[in-house]
Amino acid sequence: MNEWGSEIANGRRFEFGRNWNAFLSILDESRIREAENSLRKMLGLESMTGLTFLDVGCGSGLFSLAARRLGAIVHSFDFDPDSVACTRSLKQTFFRHDDHWRIDEGSALDTAYLAGLGKSDIVYSWGVLHHTGQMWAALENVKSLVADDGILFIAIYDDQGWKSRAWWKVKRIYNGGTAGKLLVITVFVPAFVVKGLLFDLLKLRSPFARYREKMQQRGMSMYYDWIDWLGGFPFEFAKDEEVVRFFSRDGFRLVKSNKLRKMNEFVFKAPAS
């Protein structure tokens, strides 16, 4: 059994790739366009033609696909073999035999692997590095992957105090075995549905509007995001000011940030040579 399989079996890691494989069954053109739009909006770029784009923890491969469709030369990698398979499946469907999209199995904690990647104009790692089990080491490692005057776009779970620590326990139960997984899904998925319905009633709007809005946020799916949230482990978090301070000490300049409900997005500009 490899390292990934061992961590799954020991309840130390969530099977992200299997969840993303299920998500691909509902991936359509509208979701891909929303992913493209979210990249354009946060990066402030209408096109990525000729730019190198490194997707650290590519997951489903959706944002690698979006970057490639925007003209970038893409390199995707993930620690999860199932996520790598998902990304390769997308490439096979949309960019078969394309030399400008490379996909590897690799880890953001493997400094020997990272040393061979060189530097990229855009380094993208959305909602990934807090799942490595060594978040601050992973954040340190991605610094070296950004080209001079390049862009780093990351998203990290916000430190919400006791709530974050309580969710750590829930996620640990989910990954503890089949019984834990069923318990967490049985309790929390209906709770999420009811909470959303009550919110919609208070707002006097259709529940379907909320699901459509979710799709329009990065082209994602509410249900598969729920599963990703409940199971996502290892699980770390940080206050936004901690992340900004961490990168600014090495000359990275914050150019845009966005505070989501549980996540903070950051776009940093790397120092020039």
Side-chain angles (χ1 to χ4, degrees):
M1 183 180 293
N2 62 17
E3 182 183 357
W4 175 264
S6 176
E7 292 196 6
I8 295 291
N10 292 325
R12 295 195 298 264
R13 189 172 294 276
F14 174 63
E15 296 176 279
F16 291 98
R18 290 196 175 185
N19 191 46
W20 289 130
N21 186 57
F23 166 71
L24 291 188
S25 67
I26 63 167
L27 182 63
D28 56 17
E29 180 63 24
S30 62
R31 292 180 188 275
I32 298 170
R33 285 198 302 269
E34 289 303 331
E36 292 176 15
N37 290 338
S38 74
L39 284 178
R40 287 194 189 98
K41 180 180 178 181
M42 286 299 291
L43 297 176
L45 298 170
E46 280 303 309
S47 169
M48 297 185 192
T49 301
L51 297 177
T52 50
F53 181 95
L54 180 64
D55 192 349
V56 180
C58 51
S60 68
L62 172 58
F63 282 84
S64 289
L65 172 62
R68 185 70 193 95
R69 292 200 350 167
L70 290 171
I73 301 166
V74 177
H75 188 167
S76 318
F77 73 88
D78 203 294
F79 184 49
D80 179 351
D82 288 323
S83 290
V84 173
C86 285
T87 305
R88 286 177 174 158
S89 175
L90 282 187
K91 181 178 185 289
Q92 180 75 2
T93 300
F94 293 94
F95 284 93
R96 184 180 299 187
H97 308 309
D98 181 22
D99 293 334
H100 293 309
W101 186 357
R102 173 182 164 189
I103 304 164
D104 293 336
E105 186 175 324
S107 168
L109 299 177
D110 185 346
T111 53
Y113 169 74
L114 299 179
L117 298 181
K119 295 180 180 288
S120 297
D121 299 312
I122 302 168
V123 175
Y124 174 86
S125 191
W126 204 101
V128 171
L129 303 178
H130 49 228
H131 289 314
T132 59
Q134 300 179 53
M135 181 181 71
W136 293 107
L139 288 169
E140 183 66 37
N141 289 347
V142 298
K143 291 178 182 177
S144 65
L145 303 175
V146 189
D148 294 341
D149 209 31
I151 297 173
L152 173 64
F153 180 8
I154 60 173
I156 298 294
Y157 278 128
D158 187 30
D159 183 348
Q160 298 181 318
W162 69 267
K163 291 182 180 179
S164 297
R165 287 148 186 83
W167 277 116
W168 186 96
K169 294 178 180 178
V170 171
K171 292 165 183 286
R172 186 68 180 86
I173 293 170
Y174 182 102
N175 288 279
T178 303
K181 182 183 298 185
L182 289 174
L183 174 64
V184 170
I185 289 176
T186 301
V187 170
F188 285 97
V189 169
F192 291 159
V193 172
V194 171
K195 180 181 177 181
L197 286 173
L198 291 174
F199 182 80
D200 292 332
L201 288 173
L202 289 173
K203 292 287 186 177
L204 299 177
R205 69 173 185 175
S206 166
F208 296 105
R210 181 164 44 87
Y211 288 88
R212 284 195 300 270
E213 288 172 7
K214 183 63 179 180
M215 190 191 75
Q216 291 167 359
Q217 297 171 4
R218 308 179 63 248
M220 304 307 287
S221 156
M222 185 170 289
Y223 173 76
Y224 292 110
D225 273 6
W226 284 345
I227 299 302
D228 182 86
W229 168 248
L230 292 172
F233 197 80
F235 173 63
E236 294 179 80
F237 35 83
K239 294 186 181 299
D240 52 358
E241 59 266 27
E242 291 179 297
V243 176
V244 173
R245 187 164 57 245
F246 181 83
F247 282 97
S248 63
R249 73 187 186 193
D250 286 321
F252 282 75
R253 177 173 56 88
L254 181 69
V255 295
K256 182 176 285 188
S257 63
N258 188 27
K259 200 170 188 67
L260 306 176
R261 195 161 64 89
K262 298 185 183 79
M263 194 93 70
N264 294 319
E265 294 180 310
F266 308 91
V267 176
F268 291 100
K269 190 80 166 176
S273 59

